[in-house]
Amino acid sequence: MVVTRHTPSLRTHAGLPAEMEAGATASVEVRLTCADGCDLRGAVIELTTPQGEHGTCEVGWVEDPREGAQGANARFVVTAPASTGEAEWTVRFPTQSVSGVPHEEHALVLESTVVPHATSMAIWDVPSPLQGTEFAVRVGVKCATCCVLAGQVVQVLDEAGVVVGEGRLGAAPLAGTDALYETLVALRAPERPGMGSRRVICVPGDLALPHHGSSGTFTFRSLPPPEHTVTVRIVPEGTEASMADIEVRLGDYRAHTDLNGVARVGVPRGSHELSAWRVDIEPISSRLDVSGDAAVEVVAVPRRVVDEDAERWG
Ligand SMILES: [Zn+2]
Ligand SMILES: [Zn+2]
């Protein structure tokens, strides 16, 4: 008697995502059918990964709402390899007997393109340094899948593309973030006053998984050196609060008040916008013409708390 082998078939609804980030996982469901309508529960299928590793998976029986019917399905999770490029997984139904009936081999190839992890950069705390002096900016870099980026190098390039500063990302993520690693990069302002622009790059290397680099730019104003000192005394009115640690600005030049509410701000001669700000006092703003050392007093009153209910019903 001639035994006829049945012909099974394997397919997926969606296959794998077209692109997978290195090391990422994806869940795949394959549906197994026999042209002769056999119940293929209990059959074994094999999976070969792009790295050539083999595994097996037993076929179960699940509801399949997409086909409005039940069917023999196998579900497994695949992990994208660390190397980028085209990757193939082979799902194979090896020759085997199911319920005493021999079935032929059948294979299905699943493909995806493995891509490096994306990274992003943030730059903050950019000051207005005096010309020719040292200053620093904060740079943070984050992997889209939250890899540890501790120790990665950040470089700052000037307008000519020359590296003018370098830092290494800190050992732990910035407090309050998942995976933003930051560093303080020390720089020197040009010898002439005016606007400058810098490019910041970070190309992560020596990591288990490949990463795309990221970059950002920032601009800053180099200030001419101060010629005169303006002593600003903040005088409290209607408040017992200390007048210490209030930021006082004369244009781009700034200082903080001491315990006596006094700030000494160095500025070049000319007209400057004088402002002082702290969360609990009303903002102070006035104009000051500076032609020599000067002392001024400004009055600080407590910040008015706006009671929206009182305004609405009062
Ligand atoms: Zn069959
Ligand atoms: Zn990553």
Side-chain angles (χ1 to χ4, degrees):
M1 166 181 137
V2 178
V3 177
T4 314
R5 288 183 170 189
H6 286 186
T7 308
S9 157
L10 280 164
R11 62 201 160 85
T12 64
H13 280 284
L16 286 170
E19 283 193 349
M20 290 177 76
E21 288 193 311
T25 57
S27 168
V28 189
E29 224 176 273
V30 294
R31 185 171 172 83
L32 180 62
T33 52
C34 169
D36 294 280
C38 294
D39 175 354
L40 295 177
R41 265 180 289 183
V44 168
I45 60 170
E46 296 173 354
L47 177 71
T48 305
T49 69
Q51 300 94 320
E53 293 157 357
H54 302 281
T56 59
C57 179
E58 191 171 307
V59 175
W61 187 255
V62 297
E63 296 286 341
D64 192 338
R66 285 165 300 198
E67 297 209 343
Q70 292 180 317
N73 277 40
R75 183 183 306 212
F76 44 86
V77 173
V78 301
T79 303
S83 54
T84 54
E86 302 306 314
E88 275 187 8
W89 286 259
T90 305
V91 183
R92 199 169 73 93
F93 176 93
T95 302
Q96 65 191 287
S97 287
V98 184
S99 309
V101 181
H103 286 75
E104 281 183 352
E105 176 182 296
H106 182 76
L108 171 70
V109 174
L110 302 173
E111 293 171 320
S112 183
T113 302
V114 180
V115 296
H117 292 189
T119 60
S120 57
M121 179 182 284
I123 303 163
W124 67 100
D125 280 358
V126 178
S128 299
L130 294 181
Q131 65 183 61
T133 64
E134 288 194 350
F135 69 106
V137 297
R138 289 193 180 277
V139 178
V141 183
K142 182 179 187 296
C143 163
T145 46
C146 296
C147 289
V148 173
L149 297 180
Q152 296 295 324
V153 175
V154 167
Q155 290 184 314
V156 177
L157 285 64
D158 68 9
E159 286 97 335
V162 174
V163 175
V164 291
E166 205 170 270
R168 278 184 183 274
L169 299 178
L174 191 62
T177 72
D178 307 352
L180 181 67
Y181 289 81
E182 63 140 6
T183 183
L184 192 65
V185 184
L187 297 164
R188 177 169 278 275
E191 296 297 335
R192 287 194 290 172
M195 295 302 295
S197 148
R198 296 287 177 266
R199 183 156 185 264
V200 187
I201 57 171
C202 177
V203 182
D206 283 336
L207 291 170
L209 298 171
H211 285 75
H212 281 300
S214 52
S215 67
T217 57
F218 68 90
T219 57
F220 61 98
R221 181 188 299 279
S222 298
L223 304 177
E227 299 165 295
H228 305 296
T229 301
V230 177
T231 304
V232 180
R233 177 183 296 276
I234 311 274
V235 182
E237 205 174 271
T239 173
E240 297 296 309
S242 161
M243 291 294 110
D245 205 32
I246 295 174
E247 186 183 76
V248 176
R249 291 187 182 213
L250 279 158
D252 286 321
Y253 298 81
R254 65 180 84 180
H256 282 81
T257 53
D258 62 16
L259 291 172
N260 301 314
V262 174
R264 288 178 184 81
V265 192
V267 290
R269 67 177 57 235
S271 177
H272 300 277
E273 175 81 20
L274 166 65
S275 62
W277 192 91
R278 197 173 66 187
V279 69
D280 59 333
I281 60 171
E282 278 295 301
I284 294 162
S285 178
S286 66
R287 186 152 282 279
L288 192 68
D289 290 317
V290 178
S291 56
D293 288 357
V296 293
E297 283 191 355
V298 291
V299 172
V301 297
R303 187 173 288 238
R304 288 189 295 275
V305 178
V306 178
D307 186 336
E308 288 180 12
D309 284 342
E311 282 196 345
R312 194 172 304 133
W313 304 111

